[in-house]
Amino acid sequence: MDKVVVSIGGSILIPDKDDSSYIRELSALLRELVQDFQIVVICGGGKISRYYANTGRELGGDTFQLDELGIMITRANAGLLRIALGDLRVEELPLDAERAAALSAPGNVVVMGGTVPGHTTDAVSAMVAKALGADRIVNATSVDAVYSEDPRHNPDAERYTDMTIDQLAGIVYSEHGAGKSSVFDPLGIRIAKENAIDIVIVDGRDLGELANAIRGQGFRGTLVRS
Ligand code: UTP
């Protein structure tokens, strides 16, 4: 049975637009997929974590404190998906990657948020994938693929359906120089590369495509080969 770690951004899970319908449909999908795949889901923070970070910063909070707030919000988001999953979820919300891997088993869905300050939930998903020996990481995000540049700024940007992890690293590092948020956390890319784990980038609001990406075939997105 393939093991798949799904990193789902807060902008997908709780954009404040039919969130409960989406989360209900996502959990129905996971209920179906869990018959064939062992799945761990890592939830991001989205705009609510950004609100907390901005407000905490205005109050004089340091990076560590703001990260801690972010982690709390990612865990609250994980709590929403855990409610929807009902008996499919594991009772415990793991606080680190090793515990998540230990709790994961065929037939259940482990759901978690962040772990410790200093990285994002993409990096957590790579850490869990490493601990679990996962076949791939699916990044359910708000873009439908990796592009050579931001397609909103350059309509001629190249859209990749298949690329190497070194190519993705090149794009992400050049983006970071410009201070933009990247399609996948650079630390997560490094961990995936070191452990030869593929990353699939897919539009997470399109549940049909998300299902295809978890199955690892026929999806409309980008396969990043490690
Ligand atoms: P996210 O993973 O949602 O970060 O965690 P992000 O950069 O907003 O992700 P995208 O752009 O939506 O994909 C929210 C915040 O929580 C803290 C960080 O401050 C992060 O920015 N966090 C999260 C941690 O410090 N450690 C973690 O393990 C996870």
Side-chain angles (χ1 to χ4, degrees):
M1 185 180 262
D2 272 11
K3 296 175 182 173
V4 183
V5 175
V6 181
S7 177
I8 185 153
S11 58
I12 302 302
L13 204 61
I14 48 147
D16 197 12
K17 190 166 163 272
D18 298 330
D19 297 351
S20 57
S21 319
Y22 174 80
I23 294 171
R24 198 177 287 116
E25 285 169 32
L26 172 64
S27 56
L29 178 69
L30 291 170
R31 186 169 289 279
E32 197 184 306
L33 289 168
V34 91
Q35 294 173 15
D36 300 313
F37 300 94
Q38 193 174 325
I39 299 173
V40 177
V41 182
I42 323 295
C43 300
K47 66 183 174 193
I48 297 184
S49 71
R50 276 191 290 280
Y51 167 80
Y52 273 82
N54 290 337
T55 307
R57 192 176 297 111
E58 282 164 21
L59 292 168
D62 60 29
T63 309
F64 190 92
Q65 290 171 312
L66 304 182
D67 281 353
E68 281 188 323
L69 286 177
I71 292 167
M72 286 189 242
I73 301 302
T74 62
R75 288 181 179 156
N77 289 343
L80 291 174
L81 181 56
R82 284 162 52 77
I83 289 173
L85 283 170
D87 62 356
L88 206 60
R89 69 160 190 264
V90 175
E91 222 29 71
E92 183 181 328
L93 187 151
L95 305 184
D96 63 57
E98 288 67 34
R99 187 66 187 148
L103 291 169
S104 176
N108 74 22
V109 179
V110 171
V111 184
M112 68 188 293
T115 56
V116 293
H119 51 240
T120 71
T121 49
D122 286 346
V124 173
S125 68
M127 291 170 194
V128 173
K130 175 184 175 184
L132 193 64
D135 296 276
R136 59 190 161 278
I137 299 163
V138 172
N139 188 28
T141 186
S142 53
V143 293
D144 69 342
V146 180
Y147 290 82
S148 56
E149 288 172 61
D150 188 334
R152 287 169 303 188
H153 298 144
N154 181 0
D156 297 326
E158 186 180 353
R159 181 182 190 281
Y160 299 101
T161 53
D162 199 310
M163 69 195 305
T164 66
I165 200 153
D166 288 328
Q167 279 177 296
L168 177 64
I171 289 173
V172 163
Y173 290 129
S174 63
E175 273 181 352
H176 257 242
K180 289 180 203 152
S181 87
S182 52
V183 69
F184 204 78
D185 179 322
L187 173 61
I189 293 176
R190 203 181 80 204
I191 296 168
K193 179 176 153 76
E194 282 167 5
N195 295 279
I197 304 163
D198 291 345
I199 303 172
V200 178
I201 309 289
V202 68
D203 176 355
R205 275 264 146 181
D206 187 334
L207 285 170
E209 289 305 334
L210 178 57
N212 291 338
I214 291 172
R215 291 195 180 95
Q217 46 186 275
F219 56 84
R220 190 180 178 280
T222 304
L223 171 61
V224 183
R225 294 182 194 274
S226 237

